[in-house]
Amino acid sequence: MHDIAIIGAGRIGRIHSVNAISEPRLAVKYIVDPVAKAANELAAATGASVASLDEILADPAVAGVVVASSTDTHLQFSAAAIEAGKAVFCEKPIDLDLKTAKSAASTLDSGGARLFLGFNRRFDHNFLQLRERIQSGEMGALETLHIISHDPSPPPIDYVRLSGGMFKDMTIHDFDMARFLLGEEPVSVTAMASVLVDPKIGELGDYDSVSVILKTASGRQCSISNSRRATYGYDQPIEVHGSKGAVAAENQRPVSIEIANASGYTRPPLHDFFMNRYTEAYAFEISSFIDFVESKSPASPSGTDGLIALALAEAALKSVKEGRAVKVSEITGPLADKSVFQGR
Amino acid sequence: MHDIAIIGAGRIGRIHSVNAISEPRLAVKYIVDPVAKAANELAAATGASVASLDEILADPAVAGVVVASSTDTHLQFSAAAIEAGKAVFCEKPIDLDLKTAKSAASTLDSGGARLFLGFNRRFDHNFLQLRERIQSGEMGALETLHIISHDPSPPPIDYVRLSGGMFKDMTIHDFDMARFLLGEEPVSVTAMASVLVDPKIGELGDYDSVSVILKTASGRQCSISNSRRATYGYDQPIEVHGSKGAVAAENQRPVSIEIANASGYTRPPLHDFFMNRYTEAYAFEISSFIDFVESKSPASPSGTDGLIALALAEAALKSVKEGRAVKVSEITGPLADKSVFQGR
Amino acid sequence: MHDIAIIGAGRIGRIHSVNAISEPRLAVKYIVDPVAKAANELAAATGASVASLDEILADPAVAGVVVASSTDTHLQFSAAAIEAGKAVFCEKPIDLDLKTAKSAASTLDSGGARLFLGFNRRFDHNFLQLRERIQSGEMGALETLHIISHDPSPPPIDYVRLSGGMFKDMTIHDFDMARFLLGEEPVSVTAMASVLVDPKIGELGDYDSVSVILKTASGRQCSISNSRRATYGYDQPIEVHGSKGAVAAENQRPVSIEIANASGYTRPPLHDFFMNRYTEAYAFEISSFIDFVESKSPASPSGTDGLIALALAEAALKSVKEGRAVKVSEITGPLADKSVFQGR
Amino acid sequence: MHDIAIIGAGRIGRIHSVNAISEPRLAVKYIVDPVAKAANELAAATGASVASLDEILADPAVAGVVVASSTDTHLQFSAAAIEAGKAVFCEKPIDLDLKTAKSAASTLDSGGARLFLGFNRRFDHNFLQLRERIQSGEMGALETLHIISHDPSPPPIDYVRLSGGMFKDMTIHDFDMARFLLGEEPVSVTAMASVLVDPKIGELGDYDSVSVILKTASGRQCSISNSRRATYGYDQPIEVHGSKGAVAAENQRPVSIEIANASGYTRPPLHDFFMNRYTEAYAFEISSFIDFVESKSPASPSGTDGLIALALAEAALKSVKEGRAVKVSEITGPLADKSVFQGR
């Protein structure tokens, strides 16, 4: 049984708390949040105490810290917890700025540092199956990968303003998924971007509809399509084609019925929210974090995974701005050393 | 928060215990099982105490009792708990013998008696959707209902020996589902039965492959196909046809991927066990029992539901033996009074 | 190249004519129809001549005769053509009355008689695949077979009046399909029937919604559901379950698109008419008849196939009327000799 | 009834001949092919005469000419037939070289010139449905379009050598389909390309795996994935996403069965050859050509359609070579005038 502390009593902090309660190896000891009301409510619901950052870091019983606060505090809180010797589960993204994130590497990547990054999709059992089927060799050599990821509707414009932009906010998940499945690092990125959904997003200099092609050193190709709009729900299928075969993960549906009438055969829409889509994945993510706390498994995703995804997002934006294919090395520079952030 | 006691620390008792723990309104206070080892283990896992039947019935804090013991004790334990003023969740079947079950009605159906019967499939969110779509009128007047229910493989022959026979052990679920969806009581049953899977089942005088047609007073028809064998997993689709349209609940799949290669397009097999198939339904069943304990919802399924399903099973067997359509009233006789067992 | 004559310039006669024209081995030489206008039009469209029955039977160039006239003339025209030494393609049913049909056997089943019966579904490439997969042993021993066959809407009441009743008009196709797939003759039939679609059908003493169970000597079971109404189109899936696996033929769709929007994911309705559903099957049926004319393949379906399907229809009706399972031998009596009608 | 002549007795010439025979408004009068054996065989099979180019052009009865000869002769034969006043069905591509094709425009686009280009996919009833659903407004404003088009296996290397390269041989179909559906002209193209299937293709300087993004003036995006390998058959789904909904055309399957066993649920592979996949489309294409001959419908696809698809192929190749997004206007230059080649 491990005690953990959760920093951030917002939406995602609550999800992790609830899942932590159902995980027998875990006890939520503390909730940290500057908003007292939120902290108190979540503490009450989970049987935890409200505490300050200093208190949780000082408590030797706390084995792990979940950083689920606002994005601009991710690096700072993660670094503090790592310095205090805790294993850290940091929500993605590690930061919105690649340079800042890289400069923190010296702290986050020191001797015993242990950072586990919250790319929830890696814990979906269907996508895990894709990876297993690829790694088993069943598909032969991977050739092309196709990711569609369309959100039901755009977030509030205030969210968009602070989001870091489409590529860092939304495509970043797909960049990580692409790396998770491709079996090779992308070396080149080309992208196109438009404003088709909400002109206000365009006024912020951002996009709401983007298409990306990634290419690896051996020539594997990955297409990504992102949109802030899909009237039929949270649309996120993945298709992998290899020399021996293909494997696809279908969209998840909240209910498996089909209605037939004079209009045809209709299945209900997809999930309308990513948190419903990934209910099981979030639970498995916390379990995996505990495996990591117990040193049973590596940090996957690691801080470096977060850094590379961020670099791909910057490369994609550069590609759009400059109308050309961008080499990933143009962005990452001396990132070659994969140990950065990787922990343990 | 309600304290409950669980009688029976076997497979199904464990499932209800685990689900009860995750239900915030519920605390598992006691585990009752003559096998001390089983009782102790489940008590340890759930934070409950081991107790005797008498102790749990005497504890006024116990609001509900889950009877998950062997079938031959269902009636006896349920009756005792009801006499002690507890709300009772009794696993199906209420008994293997209709006459015995009916004779217990006077006890189980007295003034404040409250019996909730464990037909787990009623709590599957897909089948619930079928019912909602039927009741909404979207399908028009229901005309035909098609239930296929094929198990992955036959149970051990010792289980079959005590099972009450194919119709009472397996089809009984489908009889209840048929009633749940048909919107009218079946009045006539015809059935055919064979031994196609395991000759040992035939040596016991039982069947492993049966087909049934039910007909209601207005002429609605329901076909049921049961088999003890399905190499592709737990096969249980339902299809409802009405005057305005049809609605079908597809099989549930443990994973939603599809592999394509020179052999074609392949999705993995279905669940291999009903408990995996009905994971979510079991959780929802316990929540629904608590609604019942809190008098927020009626007993559904009720004892009478159990009795009628049992009667349909006897009618089906009689139809096979006598080679004719059997009227349900031939079996139920004076069951007309639906209040029997229904509680409250 | 073979010359054939087509008797009957109605709907089904036209289909066979059009398909015959596209079959390079075939020339349509004559059209026979008492309605001069229909005969002339079809002759013009096919480049054939209008002729009388006597003329076509007297022309030694005519190798085959397609009997696509009204049901009550099937036996008479088929017998005449067979006596004239022609190979005969007779539309189903051979007759509406089993006794009449059987009494014609002596003529139709004489020495060189060659009768090919028009059960079009046997020529659907999907159903043929079912049969091949069963016969290959891939499915192991067949255990249960499930046929749903729901028509888009009831035929005109005048058609119903002359149809011979639901079992002989509609289920007869499913009886033949069941025999085509079961690999054993049904020995027992039980059925239930209702009037749910159109009370006028009930006033004629007929039914519009029926359910049937067939059982073979070894215990294989087949369920058939027939309805005169399906708002979503021509609904006709078949599912076969065996000891090693199952195989299903899905409904055929006129178009393979799916539309997604806030209402969900919708595929267009099925075909709205059996002739569109079976376009390819009708073409393959004529080709198969030519194989038969050329003595390359046996009569399949044969006259005996028609006779047995008719017997199953009578057995089903008897089962409904008498509320009991009916043995097929009660109906067929001395039909044991399968050579009846089978030709060569 | 119109007489036509078919130039080219190869694979595609035979397909058009067979379909022409089944089209009642058409008679195949002549076959032209320098290979006497091929010409004679096809003439015999179709009831046509063998003739020279001069003879068919001189025969005033010939209303239409199908140019199904080798690619390098398409322009020359089409020009000759147009000068002779014939309506021309020219197989795609109009030529492998955009400059050559454009220079022919003055001839092909003169007064009464009538050129109909053979992009067969436009005649698939499923893709036509996509277009209709888009044009009906059901999907709202189109946002993204996704085309996967993977061939079962690479063509012989000698074919590849003369093919004009991946973009002109294979992607050209997808470029045309994109234009057919997008509702706006693509203005920008970016592409990545690899050799993953057959190193010999790489030795020729060609690719076997390409990814393309097209963007229109308003920001609509289209992704195309092409591969010369797909073990599961001819893989060609299309997905269209708009502001109000999405519509997808699924892969076509030669048979609609599904087999279930311990390995899961398997549907047979897709068609193994584009000619089987597009059987119905080819038939409809010839009918549409006759509508065009009869001046009932415009040239669709037109020569200009062929020219623009060719330009997109050149832009994609340039994008790969130069590692940048290429404006379509860089390639087409003064093509703005859409009347080029469009006929009438």
Side-chain angles (χ1 to χ4, degrees):
Chain A
M1 184 74 107
H2 304 278
D3 284 336
I4 63 167
I6 291 179
I7 306 180
R11 195 171 64 176
I12 190 72
R14 280 199 300 275
I15 284 187
H16 292 316
S17 301
V18 166
N19 286 326
I21 291 171
S22 300
E23 161 63 61
R25 293 177 294 163
L26 254 182
V28 179
K29 190 166 185 185
Y30 301 116
I31 304 292
V32 180
D33 198 301
V35 183
K37 187 169 179 293
N40 286 329
E41 279 178 13
L42 189 55
T46 57
S49 310
V50 172
S52 69
L53 179 65
D54 289 346
E55 286 167 334
I56 67 166
L57 298 185
D59 183 345
V62 171
V65 173
V66 174
V67 179
S69 47
S70 62
T71 296
D72 57 334
T73 63
H74 283 183
L75 262 187
Q76 164 197 352
F77 291 158
S78 294
I82 281 176
E83 278 180 43
K86 312 300 189 194
V88 172
F89 175 132
C90 178
E91 261 307 315
K92 69 100 216 172
I94 188 81
D95 196 85
L96 288 178
D97 184 65
L98 181 63
K99 229 179 266 177
T100 309
K102 281 170 70 177
S103 68
S106 60
T107 308
L108 296 178
D109 200 25
S110 63
R114 291 191 299 160
L115 186 67
F116 180 101
L117 201 70
F119 277 125
N120 57 294
R121 290 189 203 164
R122 286 200 185 199
F123 301 93
D124 177 71
H125 69 293
N126 299 292
F127 297 155
L128 280 166
Q129 275 283 320
L130 291 191
R131 184 163 147 118
E132 279 173 30
R133 303 293 181 144
I134 294 166
Q135 291 184 335
S136 75
E138 268 181 88
M139 303 303 132
L142 195 152
E143 294 173 355
T144 67
L145 171 60
H146 305 277
I147 301 177
I148 284 182
S149 183
H150 291 187
D151 269 1
S153 50
I157 198 73
D158 286 340
Y159 174 94
V160 174
R161 186 172 288 117
L162 301 174
S163 70
M166 185 81 167
F167 290 115
K168 287 186 183 171
D169 183 55
M170 199 167 159
T171 326
I172 198 163
H173 280 286
D174 304 299
F175 288 134
D176 186 63
M177 184 51 62
R179 291 184 60 244
F180 190 59
L181 297 176
L182 275 172
E184 287 179 0
E185 287 295 333
V187 295
S188 181
V189 182
T190 191
M192 286 188 171
S194 319
V195 179
L196 296 170
V197 178
D198 185 351
K200 287 208 194 88
I201 293 177
E203 288 162 19
L204 295 176
D206 198 358
Y207 309 101
D208 53 33
S209 308
V210 305
S211 298
V212 182
I213 310 171
L214 304 176
K215 198 174 127 183
T216 70
S218 81
R220 297 176 181 186
Q221 295 162 26
C222 170
S223 72
I224 300 171
S225 170
N226 275 178
S227 168
R228 292 282 194 190
R229 169 160 61 194
T231 54
Y232 31 90
Y234 193 75
D235 183 22
Q236 200 159 98
I238 300 183
E239 214 171 294
V240 182
H241 297 250
S243 58
K244 289 189 188 161
V247 58
E250 298 161 7
N251 270 317
Q252 295 302 297
R253 296 171 181 279
V255 65
S256 309
I257 66 165
E258 187 168 46
I259 291 171
N261 56 34
S263 304
Y265 282 71
T266 302
R267 292 178 294 164
L270 305 176
H271 290 286
D272 58 357
F273 190 42
F274 73 92
M275 286 182 166
N276 298 333
R277 163 65 181 83
Y278 285 107
T279 302
E280 292 171 344
Y282 278 114
F284 184 51
E285 192 181 32
I286 277 290
S287 296
S288 300
F289 175 56
I290 295 311
D291 290 342
F292 172 65
V293 167
E294 295 178 344
S295 302
K296 286 183 188 156
S297 66
S300 172
S302 67
T304 300
D305 289 327
L307 232 56
I308 297 179
L310 200 55
L312 291 170
E314 297 205 350
L317 187 62
K318 197 178 183 71
S319 172
V320 169
K321 297 288 188 199
E322 303 182 5
R324 65 180 181 88
V326 172
K327 289 210 163 63
V328 180
S329 60
E330 294 180 45
I331 307 295
T332 56
L335 189 73
D337 180 0
K338 290 287 193 63
S339 75
V340 178
F341 272 29
Q342 203 141 19
R344 271 196 308 158
Chain B
M1 183 74 106
H2 304 278
D3 284 335
I4 63 166
I6 291 179
I7 305 180
R11 196 171 62 177
I12 190 71
R14 280 199 300 275
I15 284 187
H16 291 315
S17 302
V18 167
N19 286 326
I21 291 172
S22 299
E23 161 61 61
R25 293 177 294 163
L26 253 182
V28 179
K29 190 165 185 186
Y30 300 116
I31 303 292
V32 180
D33 198 302
V35 182
K37 188 168 178 294
N40 287 328
E41 278 178 13
L42 189 54
T46 56
S49 309
V50 171
S52 70
L53 179 66
D54 289 346
E55 286 167 336
I56 66 167
L57 298 185
D59 184 345
V62 171
V65 172
V66 174
V67 178
S69 48
S70 62
T71 297
D72 57 334
T73 64
H74 284 183
L75 262 187
Q76 165 197 352
F77 292 158
S78 295
I82 282 176
E83 278 180 44
K86 312 300 188 194
V88 172
F89 175 133
C90 178
E91 262 306 316
K92 70 99 216 171
I94 188 81
D95 197 85
L96 288 178
D97 184 64
L98 181 63
K99 230 178 267 178
T100 309
K102 282 171 69 178
S103 68
S106 60
T107 308
L108 295 180
D109 200 25
S110 61
R114 292 190 298 159
L115 186 68
F116 180 101
L117 200 70
F119 277 126
N120 57 294
R121 290 189 203 165
R122 288 201 183 198
F123 301 93
D124 176 71
H125 68 294
N126 299 292
F127 297 154
L128 280 165
Q129 274 283 322
L130 291 191
R131 186 164 146 115
E132 279 172 30
R133 303 294 180 143
I134 295 166
Q135 290 184 335
S136 74
E138 270 181 85
M139 304 304 132
L142 196 152
E143 293 172 356
T144 67
L145 170 60
H146 305 277
I147 301 178
I148 284 181
S149 182
H150 291 185
D151 269 1
S153 51
I157 197 73
D158 285 341
Y159 174 94
V160 173
R161 187 172 287 117
L162 301 174
S163 70
M166 185 82 168
F167 290 115
K168 288 186 184 170
D169 182 55
M170 200 168 158
T171 326
I172 198 164
H173 280 285
D174 304 298
F175 287 134
D176 185 63
M177 184 50 63
R179 291 183 60 243
F180 190 58
L181 297 176
L182 275 171
E184 288 179 0
E185 287 295 333
V187 296
S188 181
V189 182
T190 191
M192 286 188 172
S194 319
V195 179
L196 297 171
V197 177
D198 185 351
K200 287 207 195 88
I201 293 176
E203 288 162 18
L204 296 176
D206 197 359
Y207 309 101
D208 53 35
S209 309
V210 306
S211 299
V212 181
I213 311 172
L214 304 176
K215 200 174 127 183
T216 71
S218 81
R220 299 177 180 185
Q221 294 162 28
C222 169
S223 72
I224 299 172
S225 171
N226 275 179
S227 168
R228 292 282 194 191
R229 170 160 61 194
T231 55
Y232 31 91
Y234 194 74
D235 184 23
Q236 201 159 99
I238 300 182
E239 215 171 294
V240 182
H241 297 250
S243 58
K244 291 189 187 161
V247 59
E250 299 161 7
N251 269 317
Q252 296 301 298
R253 295 172 181 278
V255 65
S256 307
I257 66 166
E258 187 167 47
I259 292 172
N261 56 34
S263 304
Y265 282 70
T266 302
R267 293 178 293 164
L270 305 176
H271 290 286
D272 59 356
F273 190 40
F274 73 93
M275 287 184 166
N276 298 332
R277 162 66 182 82
Y278 286 107
T279 302
E280 293 171 344
Y282 278 115
F284 184 52
E285 191 180 33
I286 277 290
S287 295
S288 301
F289 174 56
I290 295 313
D291 290 344
F292 172 64
V293 167
E294 294 179 344
S295 302
K296 287 182 188 154
S297 66
S300 172
S302 68
T304 300
D305 290 327
L307 232 54
I308 298 180
L310 200 55
L312 291 170
E314 297 207 350
L317 186 62
K318 196 178 184 72
S319 172
V320 169
K321 298 288 189 199
E322 302 182 4
R324 65 179 182 89
V326 172
K327 291 209 163 64
V328 180
S329 61
E330 293 180 45
I331 307 295
T332 57
L335 189 73
D337 179 0
K338 289 286 195 65
S339 75
V340 177
F341 271 29
Q342 204 140 17
R344 270 189 310 148
Chain C
M1 184 75 106
H2 304 278
D3 285 337
I4 63 167
I6 292 180
I7 306 180
R11 194 171 64 175
I12 191 70
R14 280 197 300 273
I15 285 187
H16 291 316
S17 301
V18 167
N19 287 326
I21 291 170
S22 301
E23 160 64 60
R25 292 177 295 163
L26 255 181
V28 180
K29 189 165 186 187
Y30 300 115
I31 304 291
V32 179
D33 198 301
V35 182
K37 186 168 179 295
N40 286 328
E41 278 177 14
L42 189 55
T46 56
S49 311
V50 172
S52 69
L53 180 64
D54 288 347
E55 286 167 334
I56 67 167
L57 298 184
D59 183 345
V62 171
V65 172
V66 175
V67 178
S69 48
S70 62
T71 296
D72 57 333
T73 62
H74 284 183
L75 264 187
Q76 165 198 351
F77 292 158
S78 295
I82 281 176
E83 278 179 43
K86 312 300 187 193
V88 173
F89 175 133
C90 177
E91 261 307 315
K92 70 98 214 167
I94 188 81
D95 197 86
L96 289 178
D97 184 66
L98 182 63
K99 229 179 268 177
T100 309
K102 281 171 68 176
S103 67
S106 61
T107 307
L108 296 179
D109 199 27
S110 63
R114 292 190 297 158
L115 186 68
F116 180 101
L117 201 70
F119 277 125
N120 57 295
R121 291 190 203 165
R122 288 200 183 199
F123 301 93
D124 177 71
H125 69 294
N126 299 291
F127 297 154
L128 280 165
Q129 274 283 321
L130 291 191
R131 185 164 145 119
E132 279 173 30
R133 302 293 182 145
I134 294 166
Q135 290 184 335
S136 75
E138 270 181 85
M139 304 303 133
L142 195 153
E143 293 172 357
T144 67
L145 170 60
H146 305 277
I147 301 177
I148 285 182
S149 182
H150 291 187
D151 269 1
S153 50
I157 198 72
D158 285 341
Y159 174 93
V160 174
R161 185 172 289 118
L162 301 175
S163 70
M166 184 82 167
F167 291 114
K168 286 185 184 172
D169 182 55
M170 199 167 160
T171 325
I172 199 164
H173 280 286
D174 305 298
F175 288 134
D176 186 63
M177 184 51 61
R179 291 184 61 243
F180 190 58
L181 297 176
L182 275 171
E184 288 179 0
E185 287 295 333
V187 295
S188 181
V189 182
T190 190
M192 286 189 171
S194 318
V195 179
L196 297 171
V197 177
D198 185 350
K200 286 207 196 88
I201 293 176
E203 287 162 20
L204 295 176
D206 198 0
Y207 309 101
D208 52 35
S209 308
V210 305
S211 299
V212 181
I213 310 172
L214 305 176
K215 200 173 126 182
T216 70
S218 81
R220 298 177 180 184
Q221 294 162 26
C222 170
S223 72
I224 300 170
S225 172
N226 276 178
S227 169
R228 291 282 193 191
R229 167 158 64 193
T231 55
Y232 30 92
Y234 194 74
D235 183 23
Q236 200 158 101
I238 299 182
E239 215 171 294
V240 182
H241 297 250
S243 58
K244 290 188 187 161
V247 58
E250 299 160 7
N251 269 318
Q252 296 302 297
R253 296 171 181 279
V255 65
S256 307
I257 66 166
E258 187 169 47
I259 291 172
N261 56 34
S263 304
Y265 282 70
T266 302
R267 292 178 293 163
L270 306 176
H271 290 286
D272 58 357
F273 190 41
F274 74 91
M275 287 182 166
N276 298 332
R277 161 67 181 84
Y278 286 107
T279 302
E280 293 171 344
Y282 279 113
F284 184 52
E285 192 181 33
I286 277 290
S287 295
S288 300
F289 174 57
I290 295 312
D291 289 343
F292 171 65
V293 167
E294 294 179 344
S295 302
K296 287 183 187 155
S297 66
S300 172
S302 68
T304 300
D305 291 326
L307 233 54
I308 297 180
L310 199 56
L312 290 170
E314 298 207 349
L317 186 63
K318 196 177 184 72
S319 173
V320 169
K321 299 288 188 198
E322 302 183 5
R324 65 179 183 89
V326 171
K327 290 210 163 62
V328 180
S329 60
E330 293 179 46
I331 306 297
T332 56
L335 189 73
D337 180 1
K338 289 286 194 64
S339 75
V340 178
F341 272 28
Q342 203 141 19
R344 272 178 319 142
Chain D
M1 183 75 106
H2 304 277
D3 285 335
I4 63 168
I6 292 180
I7 306 180
R11 197 171 62 177
I12 191 70
R14 280 198 300 273
I15 285 187
H16 291 316
S17 302
V18 168
N19 286 326
I21 292 172
S22 300
E23 160 63 61
R25 293 177 293 162
L26 254 181
V28 180
K29 189 165 186 187
Y30 300 116
I31 304 292
V32 180
D33 198 301
V35 182
K37 187 170 178 295
N40 286 329
E41 278 178 14
L42 189 55
T46 55
S49 309
V50 172
S52 69
L53 179 65
D54 289 347
E55 286 167 336
I56 67 167
L57 298 185
D59 183 343
V62 171
V65 172
V66 175
V67 178
S69 48
S70 62
T71 296
D72 57 333
T73 62
H74 284 183
L75 263 188
Q76 163 196 353
F77 292 157
S78 295
I82 281 176
E83 279 180 42
K86 312 299 187 194
V88 172
F89 174 133
C90 178
E91 261 308 313
K92 70 98 213 170
I94 187 82
D95 196 87
L96 288 179
D97 184 65
L98 181 62
K99 227 178 269 178
T100 308
K102 281 171 68 178
S103 67
S106 60
T107 308
L108 296 179
D109 199 26
S110 62
R114 292 191 297 159
L115 186 67
F116 179 100
L117 200 69
F119 277 125
N120 57 294
R121 290 188 203 166
R122 288 200 184 199
F123 301 92
D124 177 70
H125 69 295
N126 299 292
F127 298 155
L128 281 165
Q129 274 284 320
L130 291 191
R131 185 164 147 117
E132 279 173 30
R133 302 294 181 144
I134 294 166
Q135 291 184 335
S136 75
E138 270 182 86
M139 304 303 132
L142 195 152
E143 294 173 355
T144 66
L145 171 59
H146 305 277
I147 301 176
I148 285 182
S149 182
H150 290 187
D151 269 1
S153 50
I157 198 72
D158 284 340
Y159 174 93
V160 174
R161 185 172 289 118
L162 301 173
S163 70
M166 185 82 168
F167 290 115
K168 287 186 184 172
D169 182 54
M170 201 168 158
T171 325
I172 199 164
H173 280 286
D174 304 298
F175 288 134
D176 186 62
M177 184 50 61
R179 292 183 60 244
F180 190 59
L181 297 176
L182 275 171
E184 288 179 0
E185 286 296 332
V187 295
S188 180
V189 182
T190 190
M192 286 189 171
S194 317
V195 179
L196 296 170
V197 177
D198 185 350
K200 287 207 195 87
I201 292 176
E203 288 162 19
L204 295 176
D206 197 358
Y207 309 101
D208 54 34
S209 308
V210 306
S211 298
V212 181
I213 310 172
L214 304 176
K215 200 174 125 182
T216 70
S218 80
R220 298 177 181 185
Q221 295 162 28
C222 169
S223 72
I224 299 171
S225 171
N226 276 177
S227 167
R228 291 282 193 190
R229 169 160 61 195
T231 55
Y232 30 91
Y234 194 74
D235 184 22
Q236 201 158 99
I238 300 183
E239 216 171 293
V240 182
H241 297 251
S243 59
K244 290 189 187 162
V247 59
E250 298 161 7
N251 270 318
Q252 296 302 298
R253 294 170 182 281
V255 66
S256 308
I257 66 166
E258 187 169 46
I259 291 171
N261 56 34
S263 304
Y265 281 70
T266 301
R267 292 177 294 164
L270 306 175
H271 290 286
D272 58 357
F273 190 41
F274 73 93
M275 288 184 166
N276 298 332
R277 162 67 181 82
Y278 286 107
T279 302
E280 293 171 346
Y282 278 113
F284 184 51
E285 192 181 32
I286 277 290
S287 296
S288 301
F289 174 57
I290 294 312
D291 289 342
F292 171 65
V293 167
E294 294 179 345
S295 302
K296 286 183 187 155
S297 66
S300 172
S302 68
T304 300
D305 289 327
L307 232 55
I308 298 180
L310 199 57
L312 290 170
E314 296 206 350
L317 187 62
K318 197 178 184 70
S319 172
V320 169
K321 299 287 189 199
E322 303 182 5
R324 65 179 183 88
V326 172
K327 290 210 163 61
V328 180
S329 61
E330 294 179 46
I331 308 296
T332 56
L335 189 73
D337 180 0
K338 288 289 194 63
S339 75
V340 176
F341 271 29
Q342 203 140 21
R344 275 182 314 145

